[in-house]
Amino acid sequence: MIRLNHLTKRYGDTLAVDDLSFTVEPGHVTGFLGPNGAGKSTTMRLILGLDTPTSGEALVNGRPYTTLGRPMAQVGALLDAGAVHGGRSAYHHLLCLARTNDIRERRVAEVLDLVGLTGVARRRVGGFSLGMKQRLGIAAALLGDPRVLMFDEPVNGLDPNGVRWIRDLMRSLAAEGRTVLLSSHLMSEMALTADRIVIMGRGKLIAEATVQELTTRYPTLEDAYLALTAGSVQFGAAR
Ligand SMILES: Nc1ncnc2c1ncn2[C@@H]1O[C@H](COP(=O)(O)OP(=O)(O)OP(=O)(O)O)[C@@H](O)[C@H]1O
């Protein structure tokens, strides 16, 4: 479970996350939505202890990330698929992560198989396509077999097979009772993947609802999103 209590992050004059409180429950795919600059990535970084809150707290399984023992076994995340050492092979990249996190080596082959990269495991990551890097990032997130998972825009760069694969993977991880938080700007895909939705805008919580509640009140999830975020879009072309 992920719980945010009055989470706030200020960068100079920018209030990136503003008194944000919500809970991400196990057993569901929770879609994390919001316009560009809403604060989604900052929130995920705060949950992972990659940044320090100005005030409030982000808890994973009841504790701040930085106090978790064996954190990769509790929470896995894909934030930036490009953030890997291009000179290493996929296998070596995951092996290094496993060794430094007290994870058995056999798990490396398991996750490579799970994400469909076994055939290219010995190739240098520098030559990987964006979609292959996304798969490698997902393999790293799954390495510690954590109960809590976060994915920031995982379908970016994936072909239709990859998009379908991500959807099925997210849903099966949730069906196993894991907590899955998934950000994406692709509303039609989100409607097929998530069952709960959290929407933020300008750092604040705008809505927390099930997909069913939103699509009962609005014709589609996209209509719901556009109506609810209408006052929170910061960047857009003049009409
Ligand atoms: N390290 C930082 N230093 C200064 N400002 C930052 C930093 N990180 C984020 N911000 C600012 O915080 C705000 C929220 O950014 P964030 O990347 O969290 O939004 P987002 O919802 O993930 O956006 P997108 O959908 O475009 O990825 C933006 O105004 C951004 O410029």
Side-chain angles (χ1 to χ4, degrees):
M1 181 189 287
I2 300 169
R3 187 188 294 276
L4 310 186
N5 292 324
H6 302 288
L7 188 68
T8 300
K9 180 67 187 182
R10 180 181 282 283
Y11 296 107
D13 290 340
T14 306
L15 200 49
V17 178
D18 186 2
D19 196 26
L20 191 63
S21 298
F22 65 82
T23 301
V24 189
E25 303 278 352
H28 299 280
V29 177
T30 301
F32 195 23
L33 312 181
N36 292 131
K40 304 177 297 295
S41 302
T42 303
T43 302
M44 286 182 162
R45 284 204 309 276
L46 292 167
I47 295 168
L48 289 169
L50 295 171
D51 226 329
T52 322
T54 305
S55 59
E57 59 181 3
L59 305 177
V60 176
N61 297 331
R63 299 174 58 173
Y65 181 92
T66 47
T67 70
L68 294 174
R70 299 189 71 233
M72 278 189 82
Q74 303 218 36
V75 53
L78 167 69
L79 293 197
D80 178 3
V84 283
H85 189 308
R88 282 190 187 146
S89 70
Y91 186 87
H92 194 56
H93 169 67
L94 294 172
L95 185 63
C96 289
L97 280 176
R99 284 190 176 149
T100 49
N101 285 278
D102 197 21
I103 294 166
R104 62 196 163 84
E105 279 189 36
R106 226 180 51 211
R107 181 70 181 155
V108 172
E110 282 173 22
V111 292
L112 281 164
D113 192 39
L114 205 63
V115 302
L117 289 180
T118 303
V120 294
R122 302 286 171 178
R123 279 210 229 154
R124 276 167 24 101
V125 175
F128 275 18
S129 68
L130 177 56
M132 290 160 81
K133 285 183 183 161
Q134 296 282 47
R135 285 174 185 260
L136 180 60
I138 291 168
L142 296 172
L143 197 59
D145 199 15
R147 303 299 297 167
V148 177
L149 287 150
M150 294 196 299
F151 302 97
D152 198 1
E153 302 276 353
V155 296
N156 267 3
L158 291 186
D159 59 22
N161 273 312
V163 172
R164 167 72 71 90
W165 172 73
I166 290 268
R167 188 192 310 153
D168 293 345
L169 177 68
M170 300 292 123
R171 296 183 68 87
S172 69
L173 290 168
E176 289 165 8
R178 297 178 211 256
T179 302
V180 181
L181 184 64
L182 169 68
S183 89
S184 175
H185 291 297
L186 304 175
M187 290 305 122
S188 51
E189 190 49 40
M190 195 57 99
L192 294 171
T193 309
D195 43 7
R196 304 174 76 95
I197 296 289
V198 170
I199 305 178
M200 67 183 294
R202 297 181 186 265
K204 288 182 182 297
L205 183 70
I206 291 181
E208 205 181 351
T210 64
V211 171
Q212 199 180 358
E213 281 162 357
L214 292 173
T215 52
T216 303
R217 276 173 49 205
Y218 298 89
T220 64
L221 180 63
E222 183 185 58
D223 291 307
Y225 171 84
L226 291 174
L228 291 165
T229 59
S232 304
V233 178
Q234 296 177 71
F235 314 106
R239 288 187 204 175

